Amino acid sequence: MANILDENITYLKGVGTARANLLASELGIKTYYDLLNHFPYKYLDRTKFYSVRELNSDMNYIQLRGKILNVEVLGEKRKQRIVASFFDGTGTLKLVWFQGLKWVQQQVVPGKEYVIFGKPTEFNGVMNFMHPEIELVDNFKDKPDFSLQALYNTTEKMKSKFLNSKAIHKLQQNLLPLLKGKLPESLPAYLIEQHKLMHRYEALYNIHLPQSLDLLQKAQFRLKFEELFYIQLKLLHLKHYQTTSLGGFRFEHVGDKFNTFYMQYLPFELTRAQKRVLREIRHDTNTGHQMNRLLQGDVGSGKTLVALMSMLLAIDNGFQACIMAPTEILANQHFKSITELLTGLDVKVELLTGSTKQSQRRLIHADLVSGEIHILIGTHALIEDTVQFKNLGFVVIDEQHRFGVAQRARLWKKNVNPPHVLVMTATPIPRTLAMTLYGDLDVSIIDELPPGRKTVKTLHYNDSKRLRVFGFIKEQIALGRQVYIVYPLIKESEAMDYKDLEDGLESISRAFPPPDYAISVVHGKMKPEEKDKAMDLFVRRQTQIMIATTVIEVGVNIPNASVMVIESAERFGLSQLHQLRGRVGRGADQSYCILMTGNKLTTDGRTRIKTMVDTNDGFEISEVDLKLRGPGDLEGTQQSGIPLDLKIANLGRDSQILTFARQVAQDVLADDPRLTKTENFVLKKQMELKWKYEFNWSQIS
Ligand code: ADP
Ligand code: MG
């Protein structure tokens, strides 16, 4: 047989047809390889004992040592159950069994000392263990290898057929000895030696059957490293391919439009960070290779201006440019501010969105093809196939996290050579995630706000303090400021959220009556014209309060608005809260973000609110977000095409291993970009195996 890992799981001792079917349908485990790579999700330290006094119902599986006091059989027939009281010197709890009562009656004897193991739940003020594992203390002591017990994910259906975590553990015990001496290394020998990595078999053995904490940690390191290393190798290889093989337009000179704008039109001095990024872009676009650059910068850091100046550079070199924004409001806003900034310069800018009229659309299409239009601003409408350019040389994608990699790629197809791509995001992505999601991009960071900005003060209030908050809003309005009040909008319950907003509107209309106050309302159910009208009133300061759902989250820029009230703030994710807060603090006045919540917050909810109150640093916030939610749930990562549901590594927790893995991958490729050296043969093979990915080695010069 070719490879023992391809062996059908049915033939493993302890499996058989029924279990094999269950493993396949529930967990997708069909072969030895699949089972071997079904890693434990955690380990229980079975040397640690808890006491009854310290229990709470948030705890996961734990163990205690104590005496059974008495055992009762309660209920009739189907409702029959055994309830035992268990005492450990610090308190009493109840053990409950509904099944296997005969067995329980034999095993559980009053007066004897036991180790019990299970998950505590609270019921009528008493701690309960339902169906705990139970073992006489004397027997427990005799068990070897019992200090670190691997726990495996299973499903309800599997558990009902007794294919629980313990059963999987048993299968791993059957499998591993069969593989001894038969697992070829999946990393080159020189890397293993150089970085003192555990060998593959030993690592897999200790992941499932840890012989000590030390060996477990070494095993985890090796497997996490391997997982992250191959992702980085793939991304860096791709990047290498793009930068060395794909041709790119050359923006050779800085011309008239750029210079005139910079010298005569720019109303302020660029920050040092903006200048640095412009230099980076200028360099990239003059190499003859395609630029793929991610521009990260906190809200309000002036990314749009950098984008505009880069586009002028493109135009000076005879190319067209476009900006793609995720919403119409944003596209409109870009259009407005860019046309304003360019007034007097001979640059033709057009707007193309879903609501552009057909007749206008036709004109735009024609002017794009003839090259009359220099800059096209729009939404997804830009990537429709009917939109063709004469010579598209530079693409800006704003707020990237809403566009997938696939959409990025579609823009490339609009020209013979791919245009340079600048991806802008105001949702800072943790470094680790950026390395993975955008590992094929170069990253620029604007880490400096334009001068004179005051940091937004963030306050947290309970709903009961609403009147105080209203009083504060009145003070601010009296000072001439404007106020946003935002309500959550979560897809699943749009109707309910809409009701939140309506109720809110009612109470706010009462607290802020005309003619002293005027209110704008913007939400997703409105027609674009209605939305624009409401926005416009607010922009022109005809209204002082803007009540909205999260449609205003991204990019809206109204410097006079200095208060952002977020209702039910506990229902928002961190990146959303940060985005919303970024809507204020754009003018010279002190701004405020007020987070309104109920009294009862979950642990995560409390962490989110506290993080917002404690810091304004978007990167710090994104790190917390990553830890709370995991990468798969972070905004915009779903369609990334990169496997984020890693098997063993965790992008939130394993950032050091990731950095290390990326460095090693870089070193390997620097030395052997096509992986043609004998010692790297295993890398090439693994890449093909893991990514089922056609490497175009020959194209790399
Ligand atoms: P971002 O897109 O990064 O959120 P914008 O480009 O929209 O930020 O800039 C926010 C505001 O700051 C805009 O009103 C812009 O004109 C202004 N701005 C940008 N750069 C500077 C600068 N160097 N000095 C002063 N104001 C700036
Ligand atoms: Mg912006």
Side-chain angles (χ1 to χ4, degrees), residues 415-582:
N415 223 326
V416 202
N417 271 334
H420 298 297
V421 178
L422 181 69
V423 173
M424 301 198 292
T425 173
T427 308
I429 305 158
R431 243 167 63 77
T432 52
L433 197 57
M435 266 188 223
T436 307
L437 274 181
Y438 305 114
D440 60 328
L441 304 185
D442 291 303
V443 179
S444 289
I445 295 177
I446 301 188
D447 48 6
E448 180 183 11
L449 291 180
R453 295 273 170 81
K454 294 203 174 75
T455 30
V456 180
K457 285 205 173 105
T458 303
L459 307 158
H460 171 212
Y461 287 109
N462 284 330
D463 288 334
S464 58
K465 297 276 165 42
R466 188 166 300 277
L467 283 182
R468 240 175 96 180
V469 173
F470 282 178
F472 177 74
I473 293 175
K474 283 185 178 157
E475 280 168 29
Q476 288 289 307
I477 292 176
L479 290 171
R481 308 286 123 71
Q482 288 164 288
V483 177
Y484 296 104
I485 303 179
V486 176
Y487 291 84
L489 184 93
I490 299 164
K491 271 197 210 87
E492 289 81 28
S493 55
E494 213 167 299
M496 186 183 106
D497 291 321
Y498 186 56
K499 193 173 167 304
D500 282 356
L501 182 133
E502 280 191 319
D503 291 350
L505 176 60
E506 213 181 286
S507 90
I508 286 157
S509 304
R510 246 182 285 122
F512 299 87
D516 293 345
Y517 301 98
I519 301 172
S520 283
V521 183
V522 173
H523 58 75
K525 286 196 174 171
M526 290 162 75
K527 293 210 180 74
E529 311 91 75
E530 297 174 317
K531 255 191 250 178
D532 287 348
K533 219 169 122 194
M535 284 299 269
D536 195 51
L537 284 175
F538 193 65
V539 171
R540 290 190 292 117
R541 303 200 194 177
Q542 303 290 304
T543 56
Q544 300 95 9
I545 298 177
M546 155 83 72
I547 295 189
T549 53
T550 43
V551 286
I552 60 149
E553 181 192 335
V554 190
V556 174
N557 187 21
I558 300 170
N560 189 53
S562 67
V563 183
M564 166 64 67
V565 180
I566 305 176
E567 294 284 348
S568 307
E570 70 271 30
R571 287 169 63 189
F572 290 85
L574 263 175
S575 73
Q576 243 182 342
L577 290 172
H578 182 62
Q579 279 287 325
L580 285 168
R581 179 166 61 185

Side-chain angles (χ1 to χ4, degrees), residues 285-415:
T285 52
N286 195 21
T287 57
H289 297 296
Q290 190 216 6
M291 176 184 84
N292 270 293
R293 189 167 274 283
L294 175 70
L295 175 54
Q296 291 204 67
D298 228 326
V299 279
S301 60
K303 295 182 295 295
T304 312
L305 193 72
V306 168
L308 173 59
M309 295 184 67
S310 311
M311 291 194 291
L312 291 178
L313 188 64
I315 297 167
D316 273 338
N317 285 276
F319 293 94
Q320 292 166 298
C322 70
I323 295 192
M324 186 159 77
T327 64
E328 269 195 54
I329 291 183
L330 252 187
N332 285 328
Q333 192 178 285
H334 277 320
F335 180 68
K336 197 163 157 274
S337 62
I338 285 177
T339 38
E340 252 164 46
L341 281 164
L342 295 179
T343 317
L345 266 180
D346 178 25
V347 177
K348 186 163 155 86
V349 185
E350 279 294 345
L351 177 70
L352 181 69
T353 67
S355 29
T356 306
K357 296 225 167 56
Q358 196 55 40
S359 51
Q360 174 69 5
R361 191 175 291 257
R362 244 177 269 135
L363 279 178
I364 291 178
H365 286 174
D367 286 352
L368 280 173
V369 173
S370 73
E372 187 131 332
I373 294 174
H374 295 112
I375 296 178
L376 182 65
I377 297 173
T379 50
H380 291 71
L382 290 195
I383 52 173
E384 282 165 18
D385 290 331
T386 47
V387 181
Q388 296 295 332
F389 292 78
K390 180 181 180 207
N391 200 3
L392 180 63
F394 198 92
V395 172
V396 179
I397 304 180
D398 193 9
E399 313 294 350
Q400 147 77 17
H401 59 289
R402 300 183 177 222
F403 292 105
V405 169
Q407 284 166 318
R408 248 201 280 157
R410 271 182 80 173
L411 273 165
W412 293 14
K413 295 200 190 114
K414 293 207 172 287
N415 223 326

Side-chain angles (χ1 to χ4, degrees), residues 56-240:
N56 65 62
S57 49
D58 286 345
M59 286 175 158
N60 218 316
Y61 286 83
I62 48 162
Q63 66 186 358
L64 303 93
R65 183 164 40 193
K67 267 199 177 105
I68 298 290
L69 295 183
N70 63 348
V71 182
E72 288 177 282
V73 183
L74 300 175
E76 294 286 322
K77 292 192 179 148
R78 280 171 156 241
K79 293 207 171 141
Q80 209 171 49
R81 61 194 183 274
I82 290 180
V83 178
S85 38
F86 173 91
F87 176 73
D88 75 343
T90 72
T92 310
L93 53 77
K94 293 217 175 308
L95 312 179
V96 184
W97 289 269
F98 291 96
Q99 280 159 6
L101 300 189
K102 252 200 189 123
W103 181 87
V104 175
Q105 257 170 330
Q106 286 163 8
Q107 298 293 313
V108 181
V109 184
K112 288 205 169 161
E113 221 189 327
Y114 291 89
V115 171
I116 64 162
F117 174 75
K119 183 174 163 27
T121 50
E122 199 174 323
F123 189 70
N124 286 341
V126 181
M127 279 297 169
N128 277 271
F129 275 65
M130 304 291 237
H131 283 266
E133 282 179 30
I134 184 159
E135 191 124 28
L136 282 168
V137 164
D138 295 335
N139 294 349
F140 182 82
K141 279 184 198 136
D142 296 339
K143 294 213 167 163
D145 298 347
F146 222 48
S147 57
L148 283 165
Q149 186 180 323
L151 290 189
Y152 295 89
N153 278 320
T154 58
T155 64
E156 284 310 315
K157 195 167 169 196
M158 289 170 68
K159 279 181 211 153
S160 72
K161 303 256 161 67
F162 300 103
L163 199 49
N164 53 16
S165 170
K166 227 176 170 174
I168 303 258
H169 185 74
K170 186 87 194 104
L171 296 182
Q172 303 285 11
Q173 275 176 325
N174 295 342
L175 174 62
L176 279 151
L178 302 179
L179 303 178
K180 188 163 188 174
K182 291 185 184 158
L183 286 190
E185 251 310 333
S186 46
L187 286 171
Y190 74 94
L191 284 185
I192 290 184
E193 191 182 336
Q194 212 173 326
H195 302 297
K196 305 206 167 27
L197 299 172
M198 193 180 247
H199 277 281
R200 186 176 179 206
Y201 177 77
E202 206 188 343
L204 288 165
Y205 190 91
N206 277 287
I207 264 306
H208 294 293
L209 314 169
Q211 300 303 294
S212 72
L213 192 59
D214 181 49
L215 289 171
L216 172 61
Q217 281 163 352
K218 288 201 171 90
Q220 285 173 322
F221 185 86
R222 143 86 203 216
L223 296 171
K224 287 176 178 185
F225 169 81
E226 180 172 350
E227 185 170 41
L228 295 169
F229 171 77
Y230 276 109
I231 293 175
Q232 290 305 318
L233 201 63
K234 173 190 176 182
L235 289 166
L236 289 169
H237 168 260
L238 197 71
K239 182 172 164 187
H240 186 83

